[in-house]
Amino acid sequence: SIHPAIDSSFLNYCDMGTEHTPILPDHDYLHEIEVDLFENNDGDDIIDVLPCHFHTREGMRITSHDMLVDVVMKLKEAKVKESQERQTEEECSMTEDGSTVCTTNQDTHDDNIELHLYAVPAGRQFMFAPSYVGEIFDLAYLDGEVPKPISLKVMSLSPKVFDVFNFFDKEESKDIVDKALNEKKESHRIKRSSTGASGYNVIDTRTSENGFDTHGKTAQKIKKRCLRVLGFDEYEESFTDGLQVLRYNKTTAYIPHMDWIDDPSKSSPHDYESAKLGTNRLATILLYMSDLKKEDGGETVFKHTWPAGVAEEDRVSRHDALMQLRESGDADFLKRDSWEETMVADCRSRLSVQPHSARAVLFYSQHPNGEEDTSSLHGGCPVLHGEKWAANLWVWNGVRSGYPGAPMRPGSVVEQESNPGQLTATFRNTGRDPKFEKVDLYFEDTLWGDLSFGSQLHSVNTYEGHVWNIKRRSDKVILRTILIGTDDEQNYTV
């Protein structure tokens, strides 16, 4: 634990103590900082403190001084370009005699460069820190890794909800739905949705259908993209659930719930206390694959949050929304006073997200310190007309339940989930062949990570038939293609 003498210091923020620092896969690589508590240099009061990691406002992790300099230089170049564009702009006005007079703008703007760096405690994950609704986060640093430039627009501050533009496209959307419809495995196929920390438990207040895509090619790309958007500099399969694919037919819905898993009965050996040493769902990215009009329902509603931009005196209460719904006749086929009818009223009065094909939305289920964010209570609104397809990906703050290295409750028995067909492949560069001096590892055409001389090995969860490529960085030429075989553990070196 951190010494009381530096309880209020920045170092204490970075190292939250042994009882509040989850052990992540890179924990052994953290370099502790020696701190002399009383600066007397006698060596008697020196303690070791875990460091923060640092990210830009947009989530890019800064891992070296050279990287920081590069970020600053790019900001400077952008500032100079913006200043030059302002200086060339002309303002024209009409004089009394009817002639036009134009003048060139004189740049009076402040050319100082402003860089915001966000410190994240050891064992914790970066989270976007919005200041106002409508704020834009342009993730330009991901250009080249993603098909189109990705940006986020803030929809709510509490909970933190974002529209994510260009996250996926309609072709990927179709692939996800087709894979779900053709899935034959009992554990993965589309069927009545269940809930709970463990087991298959059907409840009356979740009437949708769902299935899981854990290893499809499009699902793998989406999962990798998701972690990059969230500020992870390396992909960790154990930090994600499979892509959950959802189908809502007319009248089906899911009552407001938390994605953060609560296990009050301690039925699972996993430690879900994410504010301490446990891990739990940190963030959710929702993917919509259907176009539904406002009167069609099917929104995702955040029950505790009012719509942005609506003045307090213009807010609609649940009672008034319910009366308006009944007068409209839009949901007459729902039983009066049922949870479904009441939910439609909430969907029309609280913050809700309307489904559009290839729309993506991000929200967080935890606060930065790992505590559950109860304001993220959300639900799938009843579909009133048509059919709704959607998917979601849950990202955890550390190794999720069922994977090696997952935190366990004291005295519990370690259990490992079985993912049928899942294999482990390791890729390593020996540093011996000059041809592979500067190369990258790709899952098909999706960049996975650096595999150059001196890089860390990559251990990934994959499946038989998956294709991995090693490409030369300079021109993206494929130097080696690896087809995954049937062995449970496979090692590849170049």
Side-chain angles (χ1 to χ4, degrees), residues 1 13 25 30 43 61 93 116 164 189 199 213 218 231 241 248 255 296 298 341 344 348 378 384 395 400 410 426 442:
S1 298
Y13 167 79
L30 297 179
R61 186 169 182 173
S93 59
H116 292 256
V164 187
R189 69 175 181 82
D213 187 346
T218 299
D241 290 275
Y248 291 80
I255 199 169
D296 293 337
E341 185 195 44
V344 174
R348 294 191 172 189
H378 64 284
L384 304 180
V395 176
R400 75 173 180 89
T426 300
Y442 284 75

mmCIF file of all heavy atoms in Angstrom, residues 1 13 25 30 43 61 93 116 164 189 199 213 218 231 241 248 255 296 298 341 344 348 378 384 395 400 410 426 442:
data_model
loop_
_atom_site.group_PDB
_atom_site.id
_atom_site.type_symbol
_atom_site.label_atom_id
_atom_site.label_comp_id
_atom_site.label_asym_id
_atom_site.label_seq_id
_atom_site.Cartn_x
_atom_site.Cartn_y
_atom_site.Cartn_z
ATOM 1 N N SER A 1 0.833 -1.191 0.000
ATOM 2 C CA SER A 1 0.000 0.000 0.000
ATOM 3 C C SER A 1 0.877 1.254 0.000
ATOM 4 O O SER A 1 2.019 1.225 0.435
ATOM 5 C CB SER A 1 -0.913 0.028 1.223
ATOM 6 O OG SER A 1 -1.792 -1.075 1.208
ATOM 7 N N TYR A 13 -2.006 8.757 -6.714
ATOM 8 C CA TYR A 13 -3.027 8.563 -7.736
ATOM 9 C C TYR A 13 -2.591 7.471 -8.708
ATOM 10 O O TYR A 13 -3.397 6.621 -9.103
ATOM 11 C CB TYR A 13 -3.264 9.878 -8.480
ATOM 12 C CG TYR A 13 -4.059 9.721 -9.753
ATOM 13 C CD1 TYR A 13 -5.444 9.589 -9.722
ATOM 14 C CD2 TYR A 13 -3.419 9.691 -10.999
ATOM 15 C CE1 TYR A 13 -6.173 9.429 -10.888
ATOM 16 C CE2 TYR A 13 -4.132 9.532 -12.170
ATOM 17 C CZ TYR A 13 -5.519 9.403 -12.117
ATOM 18 O OH TYR A 13 -6.231 9.242 -13.281
ATOM 19 N N PRO A 25 -2.038 -8.355 -17.541
ATOM 20 C CA PRO A 25 -0.987 -9.183 -18.148
ATOM 21 C C PRO A 25 0.371 -8.502 -18.238
ATOM 22 O O PRO A 25 1.400 -9.182 -18.233
ATOM 23 C CB PRO A 25 -1.551 -9.478 -19.547
ATOM 24 C CG PRO A 25 -3.035 -9.454 -19.355
ATOM 25 C CD PRO A 25 -3.273 -8.366 -18.351
ATOM 26 N N LEU A 30 5.949 -3.421 -15.582
ATOM 27 C CA LEU A 30 5.924 -2.075 -15.014
ATOM 28 C C LEU A 30 7.210 -1.818 -14.229
ATOM 29 O O LEU A 30 7.644 -2.667 -13.443
ATOM 30 C CB LEU A 30 4.711 -1.909 -14.093
ATOM 31 C CG LEU A 30 3.331 -2.030 -14.752
ATOM 32 C CD1 LEU A 30 2.238 -1.872 -13.703
ATOM 33 C CD2 LEU A 30 3.155 -1.005 -15.857
ATOM 34 N N GLY A 43 18.048 6.663 2.550
ATOM 35 C CA GLY A 43 17.682 5.323 2.090
ATOM 36 C C GLY A 43 16.735 4.583 2.999
ATOM 37 O O GLY A 43 16.226 3.526 2.627
ATOM 38 N N ARG A 61 -1.839 6.048 -26.609
ATOM 39 C CA ARG A 61 -0.927 5.865 -25.496
ATOM 40 C C ARG A 61 0.468 6.360 -25.865
ATOM 41 O O ARG A 61 1.030 5.983 -26.898
ATOM 42 C CB ARG A 61 -0.859 4.395 -25.085
ATOM 43 C CG ARG A 61 -0.021 4.152 -23.835
ATOM 44 C CD ARG A 61 -0.198 2.750 -23.309
ATOM 45 N NE ARG A 61 0.578 2.543 -22.087
ATOM 46 C CZ ARG A 61 0.512 1.446 -21.339
ATOM 47 N NH1 ARG A 61 -0.307 0.461 -21.691
ATOM 48 N NH2 ARG A 61 1.232 1.321 -20.243
ATOM 49 N N SER A 93 -17.208 43.335 -48.300
ATOM 50 C CA SER A 93 -18.392 44.076 -47.873
ATOM 51 C C SER A 93 -18.763 45.083 -48.949
ATOM 52 O O SER A 93 -17.938 45.486 -49.776
ATOM 53 C CB SER A 93 -18.128 44.778 -46.542
ATOM 54 O OG SER A 93 -17.037 45.675 -46.664
ATOM 55 N N HIS A 116 -3.101 18.023 -24.274
ATOM 56 C CA HIS A 116 -3.641 17.465 -23.043
ATOM 57 C C HIS A 116 -3.214 16.007 -22.927
ATOM 58 O O HIS A 116 -3.484 15.197 -23.814
ATOM 59 C CB HIS A 116 -5.175 17.551 -23.033
ATOM 60 C CG HIS A 116 -5.702 18.942 -22.954
ATOM 61 N ND1 HIS A 116 -6.221 19.478 -21.795
ATOM 62 C CD2 HIS A 116 -5.777 19.932 -23.876
ATOM 63 C CE1 HIS A 116 -6.598 20.712 -22.015
ATOM 64 N NE2 HIS A 116 -6.341 21.025 -23.275
ATOM 65 N N VAL A 164 -20.323 6.747 -32.414
ATOM 66 C CA VAL A 164 -19.024 6.420 -33.007
ATOM 67 C C VAL A 164 -19.214 6.347 -34.520
ATOM 68 O O VAL A 164 -19.879 5.444 -35.025
ATOM 69 C CB VAL A 164 -18.473 5.087 -32.471
ATOM 70 C CG1 VAL A 164 -17.054 4.863 -32.981
ATOM 71 C CG2 VAL A 164 -18.501 5.064 -30.947
ATOM 72 N N ARG A 189 -25.458 -20.485 -31.498
ATOM 73 C CA ARG A 189 -26.535 -20.184 -32.431
ATOM 74 C C ARG A 189 -27.548 -19.205 -31.832
ATOM 75 O O ARG A 189 -27.624 -19.022 -30.611
ATOM 76 C CB ARG A 189 -27.240 -21.477 -32.850
ATOM 77 C CG ARG A 189 -28.039 -22.141 -31.735
ATOM 78 C CD ARG A 189 -28.807 -23.347 -32.231
ATOM 79 N NE ARG A 189 -29.586 -23.977 -31.165
ATOM 80 C CZ ARG A 189 -30.783 -23.560 -30.769
ATOM 81 N NH1 ARG A 189 -31.342 -22.506 -31.337
ATOM 82 N NH2 ARG A 189 -31.425 -24.190 -29.790
ATOM 83 N N GLY A 199 -24.304 -19.765 -16.501
ATOM 84 C CA GLY A 199 -25.387 -20.647 -16.898
ATOM 85 C C GLY A 199 -26.344 -20.003 -17.884
ATOM 86 O O GLY A 199 -26.220 -18.836 -18.255
ATOM 87 N N ASP A 213 -20.718 -14.721 -31.741
ATOM 88 C CA ASP A 213 -19.721 -14.930 -32.785
ATOM 89 C C ASP A 213 -18.350 -14.678 -32.147
ATOM 90 O O ASP A 213 -17.946 -13.539 -31.954
ATOM 91 C CB ASP A 213 -19.962 -13.957 -33.943
ATOM 92 C CG ASP A 213 -19.058 -14.244 -35.149
ATOM 93 O OD1 ASP A 213 -18.092 -14.999 -34.976
ATOM 94 O OD2 ASP A 213 -19.325 -13.701 -36.236
ATOM 95 N N THR A 218 -15.076 -11.398 -39.564
ATOM 96 C CA THR A 218 -15.547 -10.023 -39.335
ATOM 97 C C THR A 218 -15.588 -9.704 -37.855
ATOM 98 O O THR A 218 -15.213 -8.599 -37.434
ATOM 99 C CB THR A 218 -16.934 -9.822 -39.964
ATOM 100 O OG1 THR A 218 -16.850 -10.037 -41.379
ATOM 101 C CG2 THR A 218 -17.446 -8.408 -39.721
ATOM 102 N N GLY A 231 -8.414 2.880 -26.778
ATOM 103 C CA GLY A 231 -7.119 3.315 -26.263
ATOM 104 C C GLY A 231 -6.178 2.204 -25.866
ATOM 105 O O GLY A 231 -5.124 2.469 -25.283
ATOM 106 N N ASP A 241 -15.585 -10.276 -24.447
ATOM 107 C CA ASP A 241 -16.501 -11.390 -24.680
ATOM 108 C C ASP A 241 -16.606 -11.580 -26.190
ATOM 109 O O ASP A 241 -16.146 -10.745 -26.969
ATOM 110 C CB ASP A 241 -17.886 -11.064 -24.119
ATOM 111 C CG ASP A 241 -17.915 -11.030 -22.607
ATOM 112 O OD1 ASP A 241 -18.066 -12.100 -22.003
ATOM 113 O OD2 ASP A 241 -17.797 -9.933 -22.035
ATOM 114 N N TYR A 248 -34.392 -8.754 -32.422
ATOM 115 C CA TYR A 248 -35.628 -8.352 -31.762
ATOM 116 C C TYR A 248 -36.751 -8.361 -32.789
ATOM 117 O O TYR A 248 -36.720 -7.602 -33.763
ATOM 118 C CB TYR A 248 -35.512 -6.941 -31.179
ATOM 119 C CG TYR A 248 -34.590 -6.789 -29.994
ATOM 120 C CD1 TYR A 248 -33.216 -6.684 -30.166
ATOM 121 C CD2 TYR A 248 -35.095 -6.725 -28.697
ATOM 122 C CE1 TYR A 248 -32.358 -6.528 -29.091
ATOM 123 C CE2 TYR A 248 -34.253 -6.564 -27.606
ATOM 124 C CZ TYR A 248 -32.884 -6.469 -27.811
ATOM 125 O OH TYR A 248 -32.045 -6.305 -26.745
ATOM 126 N N ILE A 255 -35.565 -5.465 -20.578
ATOM 127 C CA ILE A 255 -35.796 -4.482 -19.518
ATOM 128 C C ILE A 255 -34.477 -3.797 -19.133
ATOM 129 O O ILE A 255 -33.401 -4.398 -19.267
ATOM 130 C CB ILE A 255 -36.428 -5.175 -18.281
ATOM 131 C CG1 ILE A 255 -37.106 -4.174 -17.362
ATOM 132 C CG2 ILE A 255 -35.390 -5.998 -17.543
ATOM 133 C CD1 ILE A 255 -37.972 -4.820 -16.289
ATOM 134 N N ASP A 296 -41.090 3.124 -34.996
ATOM 135 C CA ASP A 296 -40.895 1.669 -35.014
ATOM 136 C C ASP A 296 -40.379 1.111 -33.694
ATOM 137 O O ASP A 296 -40.366 -0.109 -33.494
ATOM 138 C CB ASP A 296 -39.918 1.286 -36.125
ATOM 139 C CG ASP A 296 -40.477 1.545 -37.514
ATOM 140 O OD1 ASP A 296 -41.718 1.587 -37.649
ATOM 141 O OD2 ASP A 296 -39.688 1.718 -38.456
ATOM 142 N N GLY A 298 -37.600 0.028 -30.778
ATOM 143 C CA GLY A 298 -36.324 -0.662 -30.874
ATOM 144 C C GLY A 298 -35.121 0.155 -30.439
ATOM 145 O O GLY A 298 -33.982 -0.265 -30.643
ATOM 146 N N GLU A 341 -45.102 -1.898 -22.104
ATOM 147 C CA GLU A 341 -45.745 -0.609 -22.389
ATOM 148 C C GLU A 341 -45.061 0.517 -21.625
ATOM 149 O O GLU A 341 -44.790 1.597 -22.175
ATOM 150 C CB GLU A 341 -47.228 -0.668 -22.023
ATOM 151 C CG GLU A 341 -47.967 0.609 -22.424
ATOM 152 C CD GLU A 341 -49.327 0.741 -21.753
ATOM 153 O OE1 GLU A 341 -49.418 0.469 -20.537
ATOM 154 O OE2 GLU A 341 -50.282 1.149 -22.433
ATOM 155 N N VAL A 344 -41.842 1.511 -23.299
ATOM 156 C CA VAL A 344 -41.992 2.362 -24.483
ATOM 157 C C VAL A 344 -42.127 3.821 -24.059
ATOM 158 O O VAL A 344 -41.554 4.721 -24.690
ATOM 159 C CB VAL A 344 -43.204 1.929 -25.326
ATOM 160 C CG1 VAL A 344 -43.426 2.913 -26.479
ATOM 161 C CG2 VAL A 344 -43.003 0.522 -25.880
ATOM 162 N N ARG A 348 -39.539 6.986 -25.019
ATOM 163 C CA ARG A 348 -39.964 8.209 -25.693
ATOM 164 C C ARG A 348 -39.765 9.456 -24.833
ATOM 165 O O ARG A 348 -40.069 10.564 -25.282
ATOM 166 C CB ARG A 348 -41.431 8.086 -26.106
ATOM 167 C CG ARG A 348 -41.654 7.016 -27.164
ATOM 168 C CD ARG A 348 -43.034 7.047 -27.769
ATOM 169 N NE ARG A 348 -43.134 6.138 -28.898
ATOM 170 C CZ ARG A 348 -44.183 6.085 -29.722
ATOM 171 N NH1 ARG A 348 -45.220 6.901 -29.527
ATOM 172 N NH2 ARG A 348 -44.191 5.233 -30.731
ATOM 173 N N HIS A 378 -29.473 0.604 -18.817
ATOM 174 C CA HIS A 378 -30.007 0.773 -20.170
ATOM 175 C C HIS A 378 -30.842 -0.438 -20.549
ATOM 176 O O HIS A 378 -30.752 -1.502 -19.924
ATOM 177 C CB HIS A 378 -28.860 0.939 -21.176
ATOM 178 C CG HIS A 378 -27.995 -0.291 -21.261
ATOM 179 N ND1 HIS A 378 -27.071 -0.621 -20.282
ATOM 180 C CD2 HIS A 378 -27.934 -1.296 -22.186
ATOM 181 C CE1 HIS A 378 -26.481 -1.763 -20.601
ATOM 182 N NE2 HIS A 378 -26.985 -2.199 -21.744
ATOM 183 N N LEU A 384 -41.858 -2.040 -32.236
ATOM 184 C CA LEU A 384 -43.281 -1.849 -32.503
ATOM 185 C C LEU A 384 -43.641 -2.211 -33.941
ATOM 186 O O LEU A 384 -44.782 -2.579 -34.230
ATOM 187 C CB LEU A 384 -43.670 -0.398 -32.215
ATOM 188 C CG LEU A 384 -43.341 0.105 -30.796
ATOM 189 C CD1 LEU A 384 -43.773 1.555 -30.629
ATOM 190 C CD2 LEU A 384 -43.981 -0.775 -29.736
ATOM 191 N N VAL A 395 -16.152 -4.996 -23.368
ATOM 192 C CA VAL A 395 -14.720 -4.938 -23.095
ATOM 193 C C VAL A 395 -14.522 -4.812 -21.587
ATOM 194 O O VAL A 395 -15.171 -3.984 -20.937
ATOM 195 C CB VAL A 395 -14.068 -3.741 -23.814
ATOM 196 C CG1 VAL A 395 -12.590 -3.641 -23.448
ATOM 197 C CG2 VAL A 395 -14.224 -3.893 -25.325
ATOM 198 N N ARG A 400 -10.978 -11.324 -18.344
ATOM 199 C CA ARG A 400 -12.356 -11.662 -17.976
ATOM 200 C C ARG A 400 -12.443 -13.070 -17.391
ATOM 201 O O ARG A 400 -11.503 -13.865 -17.479
ATOM 202 C CB ARG A 400 -13.281 -11.522 -19.171
ATOM 203 C CG ARG A 400 -13.209 -12.614 -20.215
ATOM 204 C CD ARG A 400 -14.325 -12.407 -21.233
ATOM 205 N NE ARG A 400 -14.349 -13.406 -22.283
ATOM 206 C CZ ARG A 400 -15.016 -14.556 -22.213
ATOM 207 N NH1 ARG A 400 -15.665 -14.876 -21.107
ATOM 208 N NH2 ARG A 400 -15.008 -15.395 -23.226
ATOM 209 N N PRO A 410 -10.959 -15.167 -3.096
ATOM 210 C CA PRO A 410 -10.168 -16.002 -2.173
ATOM 211 C C PRO A 410 -10.909 -17.288 -1.807
ATOM 212 O O PRO A 410 -12.087 -17.264 -1.450
ATOM 213 C CB PRO A 410 -9.995 -15.101 -0.952
ATOM 214 C CG PRO A 410 -10.102 -13.712 -1.490
ATOM 215 C CD PRO A 410 -11.108 -13.787 -2.600
ATOM 216 N N THR A 426 1.367 -18.640 -31.255
ATOM 217 C CA THR A 426 2.393 -17.686 -30.828
ATOM 218 C C THR A 426 3.274 -17.334 -32.022
ATOM 219 O O THR A 426 3.733 -18.219 -32.751
ATOM 220 C CB THR A 426 3.259 -18.283 -29.704
ATOM 221 O OG1 THR A 426 2.428 -18.595 -28.585
ATOM 222 C CG2 THR A 426 4.317 -17.295 -29.271
ATOM 223 N N TYR A 442 -0.400 -9.477 -39.337
ATOM 224 C CA TYR A 442 -1.773 -9.158 -39.741
ATOM 225 C C TYR A 442 -2.661 -10.392 -39.576
ATOM 226 O O TYR A 442 -2.248 -11.520 -39.874
ATOM 227 C CB TYR A 442 -1.837 -8.741 -41.213
ATOM 228 C CG TYR A 442 -1.340 -7.340 -41.500
ATOM 229 C CD1 TYR A 442 0.027 -7.051 -41.492
ATOM 230 C CD2 TYR A 442 -2.232 -6.308 -41.785
ATOM 231 C CE1 TYR A 442 0.484 -5.770 -41.767
ATOM 232 C CE2 TYR A 442 -1.783 -5.028 -42.061
ATOM 233 C CZ TYR A 442 -0.425 -4.764 -42.057
ATOM 234 O OH TYR A 442 0.017 -3.497 -42.332
#
